[in-house]
Amino acid sequence: MTTGTPSVFIQIWVDTNALQNGSTRGVYVVDNRVSNGSSNEGSANLQTSVTNGSVVNWQVFNVDPTATGAKSIQAISNSNAWGPGGQPQSDPTYGGFTGQVQNVGTAPYSVTFNAQKQAGSAAITTTVNLTMSVH
Amino acid sequence: MTFLMMQPSRQVFIAPTGIQVNSCISIAVDTAYVAAQQGRNINAGVYMMDNMINNGSSGEGQMELHTKVPVGFTIGFNSVPINPVSNDQVIITGFNVSQGSVFGSAGYPRQQPPLGPTQPPGSWWIGQAMNSGSQTYQIQIAVTVGVIQPVTYYVNWDPFITAQ
């Protein structure tokens, strides 16, 4: 289990009007590391650039903050970036998932989340394929 | 200013008197990046997206979002910092229309009460697309960083709205 306050935040913004099973249309991912060399900000292919040891938090947001549909991260995949002990897990303190990068290099990972178009509707499951560049 | 740690989970609740919106634009801001530019022009660190890509919006996730809505739609404008534990704050300070008149005067965005107890006043505005056509407008945000001696940086840019 990773500990510590996250310093890297990755926000997955969702346009639930556009969500469809198996598609990333309407999904926009941003982080707070453009100064560190992150690229593809605002797309579904974000590459986050971080220093080794950083604690990273992921959360899902609805582009419409008044929307009542539920949304939550289901899983974050394995990745070389997490090293031996940094696998992201559900985080009761900060919300979403939190993990730690423990391996230098560039490694892919994926985030799978559920989102409802409105409260009570069937959740749509979406997976975004992202990249973590650890230096 | 007393400002306790912002709750990282930005789950929000609709105020009982809140106006429902037909469409929405969210602005996510990398506050530390904006502050580090020390007032120079920026072309990153501010990410704007709407929920109208199925209606033809373009430029999603960029500064120059082009929102497309049907005439009559209300449009919410929501601003948030990407780092929720920094105590940095992002609010919208105003709008200007430089070309076109989709808002008209009746639909010009107005500040609304914050959507939840963790959001600062100014983080939620609503406008309405009253007239068909396209407009270029400017949003100005205030990014406040620092706890001991907060410093505010103002950023504005030129997105677009087309109502049809």
Side-chain angles (χ1 to χ4, degrees):
Chain A
M1 184 67 195
T2 53
T3 55
T5 305
S7 60
V8 177
F9 293 89
I10 298 178
Q11 295 185 335
I12 301 169
W13 289 86
V14 179
D15 170 0
T16 52
N17 293 327
L19 270 192
Q20 286 186 336
N21 279 310
S23 164
T24 58
R25 183 176 168 84
V27 180
Y28 314 106
V29 191
V30 298
D31 67 25
N32 64 333
R33 280 296 179 275
V34 70
S35 58
N36 209 40
S38 291
S39 56
N40 301 333
E41 297 276 0
S43 78
N45 308 301
L46 175 71
Q47 174 164 324
T48 296
S49 182
V50 295
T51 52
N52 197 14
S54 297
V55 177
V56 185
N57 175 265
W58 290 259
Q59 294 197 41
V60 178
F61 296 81
N62 196 312
V63 171
D64 178 353
T66 70
T68 54
K71 56 201 180 305
S72 62
I73 294 175
Q74 298 303 298
I76 295 183
S77 71
N78 296 332
S79 171
N80 283 341
W82 319 143
Q87 176 68 41
Q89 300 177 42
S90 180
D91 185 337
T93 304
Y94 295 100
F97 271 49
T98 297
Q100 186 177 36
V101 293
Q102 298 183 347
N103 248 348
V104 170
T106 297
Y109 71 101
S110 63
V111 179
T112 300
F113 61 91
N114 284 345
Q116 294 176 321
K117 286 179 184 277
Q118 57 267 325
S121 69
I124 295 170
T125 301
T126 304
T127 297
V128 284
N129 295 311
L130 308 173
T131 304
M132 192 63 75
S133 177
V134 185
H135 54 90
Chain B
M1 182 173 72
T2 304
F3 198 65
L4 299 173
M5 182 153 102
M6 198 180 286
Q7 191 170 325
S9 171
R10 292 186 60 96
Q11 287 283 354
V12 294
F13 305 92
I14 304 167
T17 56
I19 300 170
Q20 291 289 333
V21 291
N22 305 121
S23 62
C24 195
I25 292 171
S26 278
I27 303 162
V29 180
D30 184 344
T31 50
Y33 176 81
V34 169
Q37 306 315 304
Q38 299 282 318
R40 291 188 296 267
N41 285 341
I42 61 170
N43 55 16
V46 175
Y47 311 104
M48 193 179 188
M49 40 259 150
D50 69 24
N51 61 352
M52 287 282 123
I53 192 171
N54 274 4
N55 196 53
S57 290
S58 58
E60 298 282 354
Q62 310 301 314
M63 290 186 91
E64 305 233 322
L65 174 69
H66 191 149
T67 295
K68 287 194 178 170
V69 294
V71 173
F73 260 38
T74 51
I75 305 168
F77 295 87
N78 169 48
S79 63
V80 300
I82 296 175
N83 182 340
V85 303
S86 59
N87 289 329
D88 296 348
Q89 195 180 74
V90 180
I91 62 170
I92 298 167
T93 47
F95 290 80
N96 180 57
V97 174
S98 57
Q99 191 175 10
S101 182
V102 169
F103 292 145
S105 55
Y108 215 84
R110 286 180 168 243
Q111 186 177 330
Q112 304 295 317
L115 285 168
T118 62
Q119 275 88 7
S123 59
W124 180 236
W125 293 57
I126 300 177
Q128 189 169 13
M130 301 299 288
N131 305 311
S132 64
S134 290
Q135 74 176 18
T136 306
Y137 66 111
Q138 290 77 39
I139 296 183
Q140 185 182 66
I141 59 172
V143 178
T144 303
V145 300
V147 177
I148 308 297
Q149 194 167 324
V151 179
T152 299
Y153 297 93
Y154 292 90
V155 179
N156 61 72
W157 67 98
D158 305 310
F160 309 92
I161 294 178
T162 295
Q164 55 205 3

